[in-house]
Amino acid sequence: MRTSIATVCLSGTLTQKLHACAEAGFDGVEIFEPDLVAAPESPEEIAALAHRLGLSLDLYQPFRDAEGVSDESFAAVLHRARSKFRLMRRLGIDTMLVCSNVATATVDDDEHSAAQLRRLGDEAAPYGVRLAFEALAWGRYVDDYRRAWRITELADHPNVGVCLDSFHILSRGHDPAAIEDIPGEKIFFLQLADAPALTMDVLSWSRHHRLFPGEGAFDLSRFVGHVLAAGYRGPLSLEVFNDTFRQTDVLRTAQQAKRSLRWLEDQVARRSGRLSRPGGPERLPDVDQPTGFDFVEVKAEDAGEVDTLLRQLGFTFRGRHRSKPVRLWAHGPARVVCNENLAREWPPTLAAVGFEVTDPKAATQRAGELEAPPVFRRTYAGEQPLPAFRAPDGTEVFLSGAGDGEPAWVAEFESDDAGVGAEEPLLTGIDHVNLAEPWQSFDEAVLFYSSVLALRSGSSQDVAAPTGLVRSQVIRGENGAVRLALNVAPLAYDHPRGFPQHVAFASSDVMLAARTARARGLRSLPIPGNYYDDLAARFDLPAGLVEEMRELGVLYDRDENGDFLHFYTETIGGVFFEVTQRRGGYDGYGAPNAAVRLAAQHVHDQRLGRR
Ligand code: MG
Ligand code: MG
C-alpha cells in the first residue's frame, strides 16, 4: 500500500525530513504547518524538492478551530482558510486536515458545524482542495469520530470528508467498528499512531507518547481492517508525536517508521484476507516463530574468564573454530560461542544471538523486507553461511535451520581435548536472553525484534536499580520457546553495553546446578540476607529450603501457575549468566527479584572498584 508520514514525526529541518522520508522509501508526506512556516525555502522550492525526491505531498495540516464558532468569528476563519488554500496551491497539495475545534467553539450543534464546513467546502472547491475533518480526542464539542462523520454527512459537500486518526479513536476507547458505516470515498485521509497503555490526560499522552505501529498497545490491525473494509484507498500515513523521535537521527527514525508500516500492512493482510486486492495490504513471507535459541555469542579480546564461568556451570568445551579464534561451549542444547575475532579492546560483551527457525530462507526474506540491515561475516569454503542482521542495539541476530540434533555449523569446531569437563544434564537449554537498550532506540528495538522475528510483546515493567529506574519489556514467542527481555540502560552507563546483559539457562534442578557449580569454584552473585528474611515472610517455604537458597544465592518467585528458582553468576565485563528453573506453569522472569539483583550487582561492582 502507499505509505506516507507527517513531517512532525521526525527531527531536523523540513528539507532534511523530506530527504530522509524519500531515502526510507515513503511514497509521500504530510506537511506539518509549523515545519513549513519555519523553513527558509519557499513553498515552490519545497514542492520542487519533494517532486525531485519522488515524494507526493499528501496532506497539509493542521487547520484548527474552523467550525462551531459564532457567525461573527466565522468570517475570520474564512479569511484564514482562503490564504491556506492559496498556499496549498503553491505547494500542490489537495487535501487539508481540519481538526475539530478546541479553543474557539461556542456553538454545540451539528447543523451549525456542518453549515460552516459546507461553506468552507465551497471556498475550497475552486482551489481543488478537499477538507478532511478530524475529531480530536480533546475537541471542545466534537471529540468522537462518529460525530465528526455525522457532521460531515450533514455538510453534504463533495469537498468535505473525514480524517480518521487511530490515536484519537483508540485513546478514548471508541469502538472503531462503526468506521465501516462511512463510505470509503468520504474517508479522505488515514493517520496512524500506536501508543503505550497509559493513564493520563489524553492531550499530553498524544503530544509526547505516541509510537509507531507495533511499538505500543493499540490494536492497529483491527483498526486498519475496518478502514479498508469501508473502502478507503488512500495511503497509510503515520502521525506520531514523540519526544524521543524528535531528537533521534532523522533517517534512522524514518526507516523505523517505514518498518512499522510494513509490519502493520502484513498484520492487516493476515487478519483480513477478504481485503486482498491489487494495491491492498501485502503479506510478508510466512514464517513460524523461532523454535528456540541456536546459540549466544560472547565477544571479547580475552574471553578466558567466560570460559572459566562456563566450565563451572557444567558446559563442555567443544572445540576451536577451524579458521577463527572462536571457541564453542555446549551443555545439552545450550551453546555459547566465545569470539575473540576482531575483538581488540572489547570487554566480554553479548554480541550475537542465534535463533532456530523452521525456514531460514523465508525468515531471511522477511527480515530483508523489513529492512533489517544485513551483517557480513566472512565464511570459508565448506562453512555454513548463516544469514545475520544487526538489531538497533548492535546485537547481531543469526537465523539457522531448526532440526534434530546439533546444527551443521557445530562441525566447524574441532578439538583434541573436546569433551573436557564432564557434562551432567543440569541445563536443558537457553530460557531467555536479556539485552540492554539505549533509551533512544528502545522502541525501535521492540519493533525490530517483534517484527523481524515474528514475536510478540509480552509483559513490561519498571525495576528500581541504584543507578536508575530500568524499563523492561519482554518480547517472546507464543509458546515461550524464545524469550527476550529488553532493558533500558540507565544513563550512568555511558555506553549501553556497559550495562551488563545476560543469558539465562534453563535447568531441571537449580539447587543441584548451583551446588555443583559451587563445587567447581563458581562464585554466584552474593544476595543479601535481608532478601531471605523477606522471602520467608512472603512465602510459606520450608525453612530448610530458604536456608539452602541463602547459602547458594538462589532467588525465588511464584505466580498463579507455579514457581521459579534462579541464581546469577558474577559479571565479567558486560556479561553474566543466570540459571533458572520454572516449575509448574510459571511464566515470568523473577521480576520481584530484579531490583535485588541489580542492587547486589551494584554493591558487588563497588567492592571491586568497578563503579
Ligand atoms: Mg491526526
Ligand atoms: Mg533474567
Side-chain angles (χ1 to χ4, degrees):
M1 295 187 66
R2 288 192 65 247
T3 55
S4 188
I5 180 170
T7 55
V8 70
C9 301
L10 303 168
S11 67
T13 63
L14 182 54
T15 55
Q16 288 169 335
K17 294 174 193 220
L18 293 178
H19 279 281
C21 293
E23 194 171 341
F26 280 94
D27 299 305
V29 298
E30 302 175 20
I31 296 290
F32 184 58
E33 182 169 80
D35 282 336
L36 179 80
V37 172
E41 296 81 8
S42 70
E44 288 79 7
E45 285 169 329
I46 293 298
L49 174 62
H51 182 74
R52 259 203 325 280
L53 293 170
L55 288 172
S56 59
L57 299 182
D58 296 326
L59 186 79
Y60 187 80
Q61 66 126 318
F63 189 77
R64 296 185 192 282
D65 301 326
E67 45 64 56
V69 299
S70 65
D71 293 336
E72 304 81 73
S73 15
F74 192 58
V77 172
L78 286 174
H79 172 76
R80 190 157 51 92
R82 282 184 213 110
S83 101
K84 294 305 169 188
F85 298 154
R86 285 192 292 274
L87 168 65
M88 288 173 65
R89 181 179 270 172
R90 294 174 68 191
L91 284 163
I93 303 182
D94 67 4
T95 309
M96 180 163 85
L97 176 80
V98 176
C99 44
S100 62
N101 199 318
V102 171
T104 62
T106 51
V107 187
D108 183 8
D109 179 77
D110 287 356
E111 289 282 2
H112 183 80
S113 287
Q116 293 184 333
L117 284 180
R118 189 181 312 122
R119 180 65 205 285
L120 280 167
D122 284 341
E123 293 287 336
Y127 295 90
V129 166
R130 308 190 312 160
L131 308 174
F133 185 45
E134 174 191 68
L136 296 180
W138 54 90
R140 179 171 288 181
Y141 301 127
V142 181
D143 59 4
D144 183 327
Y145 79 96
R146 291 161 291 202
R147 186 164 183 198
W149 164 236
R150 219 159 44 233
I151 293 169
T152 302
E153 217 177 356
L154 285 172
D156 190 26
H157 194 287
N159 290 60
V160 180
V162 293
C163 171
L164 299 174
D165 179 319
S166 63
F167 182 88
H168 294 302
I169 296 170
L170 301 177
S171 66
R172 298 289 308 272
H174 294 158
D175 186 350
I179 289 172
E180 297 196 25
D181 300 338
I182 308 175
E185 69 276 7
K186 293 303 270 184
I187 303 175
F188 284 1
F189 212 72
L190 171 64
Q191 293 180 314
L192 297 169
D194 205 338
L198 297 174
T199 308
M200 65 189 302
D201 77 281
V202 74
L203 176 58
S204 309
W205 188 12
S206 173
R207 290 278 166 80
H208 302 283
H209 301 284
R210 289 189 182 205
L211 292 169
F212 293 121
E215 298 175 347
F218 288 168
D219 186 349
L220 288 176
S221 62
R222 172 168 178 242
F223 180 86
V224 174
H226 289 307
V227 179
L228 298 185
Y232 175 74
R233 294 292 181 267
L236 301 178
S237 190
L238 295 165
E239 189 194 29
V240 171
F241 304 83
N242 180 290
D243 297 358
T244 301
F245 304 156
R246 282 177 191 267
Q247 55 181 310
T248 47
D249 179 81
V250 60
L251 177 58
R252 189 162 157 178
T253 309
Q255 288 166 333
Q256 172 189 358
K258 188 69 173 34
R259 175 178 299 140
S260 78
L261 280 186
R262 187 67 195 89
W263 170 84
L264 178 61
E265 198 181 322
D266 172 72
Q267 296 285 306
V268 173
R270 277 167 203 283
R271 190 156 185 159
S272 1
R274 68 200 166 99
L275 300 170
S276 54
R277 56 175 170 80
E282 275 178 48
R283 290 166 72 133
L284 289 164
D286 277 315
V287 296
D288 297 325
Q289 293 185 330
T291 51
F293 289 100
D294 185 18
F295 68 93
V296 293
E297 178 188 283
V298 176
K299 184 166 175 167
E301 178 166 10
D302 177 357
E305 284 184 82
V306 179
D307 291 331
T308 303
L309 217 49
L310 291 168
R311 186 178 288 116
Q312 290 167 339
L313 287 172
F315 275 73
T316 303
F317 178 63
R318 294 293 303 274
R320 282 163 225 287
H321 193 269
R322 60 168 85 121
S323 67
K324 287 170 272 197
V326 179
R327 300 185 289 278
L328 173 62
W329 291 84
H331 189 139
R335 288 177 285 276
V336 180
V337 169
C338 290
N339 179 5
E340 295 175 347
N341 192 32
L342 306 174
R344 249 189 85 189
E345 289 179 18
W346 278 64
T349 303
L350 189 52
V353 181
F355 295 88
E356 289 175 351
V357 293
T358 44
D359 184 348
K361 205 171 149 212
T364 305
Q365 204 190 332
R366 177 187 172 95
E369 285 193 30
L370 288 162
E371 311 279 349
V375 167
F376 174 75
R377 283 220 182 176
R378 177 176 298 190
T379 51
Y380 301 91
E383 291 177 10
Q384 293 290 315
L386 295 183
F389 304 91
R390 190 176 307 284
D393 54 30
T395 304
E396 295 180 359
V397 172
F398 285 77
L399 303 171
S400 63
D404 297 333
E406 290 190 319
W409 61 264
V410 168
E412 291 160 24
F413 290 81
E414 300 160 339
S415 174
D416 297 336
D417 53 349
V420 168
E423 182 179 318
E424 302 100 11
L426 289 172
L427 305 186
T428 54
I430 293 173
D431 183 88
H432 63 273
V433 174
N434 192 307
L435 300 170
E437 305 296 333
W439 65 272
Q440 68 272 30
S441 63
F442 177 76
D443 299 303
E444 185 186 1
V446 168
L447 175 67
F448 179 91
Y449 287 109
S450 53
S451 64
V452 170
L453 296 170
L455 299 170
R456 68 171 171 86
S457 293
S459 55
S460 148
Q461 61 186 47
D462 296 331
V463 178
T467 48
L469 206 56
V470 178
R471 185 172 155 209
S472 179
Q473 170 74 56
V474 171
I475 306 288
R476 54 169 291 172
E478 297 300 335
N479 60 4
V482 161
R483 301 165 186 262
L484 297 172
L486 309 182
N487 297 315
V488 178
L491 291 178
Y493 300 84
D494 6 300
H495 190 277
R497 288 308 177 85
F499 187 57
Q501 312 194 92
H502 77 267
V503 181
F505 302 113
S507 173
S508 50
D509 187 342
V510 104
M511 302 303 277
L512 180 60
R515 202 166 279 292
T516 311
R518 170 166 294 194
R520 291 201 190 95
L522 180 91
R523 287 188 307 271
S524 57
L525 179 71
I527 302 298
N530 295 339
Y531 170 79
Y532 294 98
D533 296 343
D534 179 60
L535 198 60
R538 284 194 293 135
F539 297 107
D540 177 25
L541 292 167
L545 177 62
V546 175
E547 283 320 299
E548 202 185 347
M549 288 195 273
R550 189 193 295 265
E551 181 203 338
L552 296 169
V554 171
L555 299 100
Y556 181 85
D557 187 34
R558 188 186 287 171
D559 68 8
E560 58 280 13
N561 303 310
D563 62 2
F564 186 64
L565 295 96
H566 57 143
F567 69 91
Y568 298 97
T569 70
E570 289 181 351
T571 302
I572 314 269
V575 185
F576 62 98
F577 298 108
E578 178 183 7
V579 177
T580 68
Q581 182 181 7
R582 296 174 184 277
R583 301 199 298 197
Y586 182 89
D587 202 33
Y589 305 83
N593 302 330
V596 175
R597 186 259 293 173
L598 285 158
Q601 288 174 322
H602 187 70
V603 168
H604 193 63
D605 280 357
Q606 280 186 320
R607 281 207 189 113
L608 296 178
R610 283 197 281 208
R611 292 203 72 77

